[in-house]
Amino acid sequence: MPDNLRPLAVVTGASTGIGYELAKCCAARGFDLVTAADEPQINEAARELRALGAAVEAVDADLATLDGVDRLYGATEKLNRPIDALLANAGRGLGRGFLDQDFAAARRVLDTNITGTLYLIQKVGRDMRARGAGRILITGSIAGFMPGTYQAVYNGTKAFLDSFSFALRHELADTGVTVTCLMPGATETEFFERAEMRDTKVGQAKKDDPADVALSGFDAMMRGDGEVVTGWQNKLRAAIAHVAPADMLAEMHRRLAQPAPTAK
């Protein structure tokens, strides 16, 4: 394999939002890319990323399934290049009360945010550990710090990822592999529309710029930091969440995420 190849980054959920901006950060800073999402828009995103000078392999795969993750991992194996950075960003949200949700939709959140993410991290992480080098960025959320009233499943998955990232980081100490958790707050992406939360207070509020969020996460990954909470308001919310009672946090979240009353 030639010594002058650019490093390779794998970015999931890279068709829009934070994932697309993370891929742009990688491309603009010397990485080639394998990008993945569960929608054809990933191919259009790849064309835009190639304009930044990166070689990009786009994979349209359902990362909520083990088969989808295997398809993505297989695409990286065909390149016969080591993965220098894994940016595990694919995620799915779901609003409204848990008892009112379709369970298939709730399970898809679990399978995308946790099962598929962990399966990919394990496969790529083993290769990195064997090589003694690599960077892993996991997109968690400050939502993982508080009970998610009207977002119970989503916040639970982010609590899992926030915790998991620190555990994995310390398991990989002294191996040459770093793990960073990106913890954004509400960000201006398609998340709230897809989660059917446009009629909520948080859905209608001003949100963070995904490009700013992604740059903070990318820089933290490159430094090897353990975590980054983006934006001073989110840092304040995170600090409050660490000391406030769970009941208080659940009520605060209810006010933000409760759907608007249905007109009679």
Side-chain angles (χ1 to χ4, degrees):
M1 185 168 55
D3 293 333
N4 61 349
L5 278 179
R6 291 156 56 108
L8 181 66
V10 174
V11 187
T12 65
S15 56
T16 61
I18 294 173
Y20 175 67
E21 296 296 339
L22 284 169
K24 283 177 64 177
C25 287
C26 291
R29 289 159 181 80
F31 284 85
D32 287 336
L33 291 162
V34 177
T35 60
D38 62 353
E39 56 186 359
Q41 193 172 347
I42 191 65
N43 296 303
E44 174 59 31
R47 284 191 286 272
E48 296 170 2
L49 293 166
R50 292 184 188 110
L52 298 174
V56 183
E57 178 78 16
V59 181
D60 183 349
D62 184 357
L63 301 181
T65 68
L66 301 189
D67 286 346
V69 174
D70 284 336
R71 181 178 175 188
L72 169 58
Y73 184 72
T76 70
E77 289 184 307
K78 290 177 183 177
L79 296 176
N80 194 30
R81 295 171 60 179
I83 297 171
D84 298 279
L86 169 62
L87 294 84
N89 170 80
R92 188 173 295 273
L94 187 64
R96 309 195 181 276
F98 173 68
L99 298 184
D100 299 317
Q101 293 170 348
D102 177 74
F103 189 75
R107 179 172 177 176
R108 189 162 179 79
V109 173
L110 292 166
D111 288 343
T112 303
N113 297 6
I114 296 179
T115 306
T117 296
L118 264 61
Y119 185 48
L120 179 61
I121 289 172
Q122 188 180 72
K123 293 175 81 70
V124 175
R126 284 173 172 171
D127 295 339
M128 289 179 171
R129 184 180 62 180
R131 201 171 70 251
R135 304 176 190 276
I136 298 172
L137 178 71
I138 300 171
T139 300
S141 175
I142 65 166
F145 298 153
M146 61 191 75
T149 311
Y150 292 108
Q151 258 186 300
V153 174
Y154 173 78
N155 281 39
T157 65
K158 291 301 181 177
F160 180 95
L161 289 176
D162 291 350
S163 173
F164 172 81
S165 69
F166 283 100
L168 182 62
R169 176 179 176 81
H170 285 270
E171 289 180 6
L172 292 174
D174 303 320
T175 67
V177 181
T178 62
V179 180
T180 303
C181 189
L182 170 59
M183 300 178 185
T187 305
E188 194 60 63
T189 68
E190 297 178 3
F191 174 90
F192 292 94
E193 181 176 351
R194 293 177 175 179
E196 300 182 358
M197 294 183 65
R198 281 294 184 188
D199 61 344
T200 64
K201 185 176 179 180
V202 67
Q204 296 173 2
K206 180 177 173 57
K207 304 173 186 62
D208 294 334
D209 185 334
D212 293 339
V213 171
L215 181 58
S216 294
F218 178 85
D219 287 345
M221 178 189 73
M222 295 305 293
R223 290 191 303 266
D225 295 348
E227 65 177 303
V228 56
V229 176
T230 59
W232 71 267
Q233 289 183 322
N234 293 324
K235 289 180 172 64
L236 177 60
R237 293 186 183 105
I240 292 171
H242 284 308
V243 297
D247 271 350
M248 180 184 295
L249 295 172
E251 174 59 19
M252 289 170 58
H253 202 283
R254 181 192 66 78
R255 296 172 187 171
L256 290 172
Q258 185 172 19
T262 304
K264 295 183 179 179

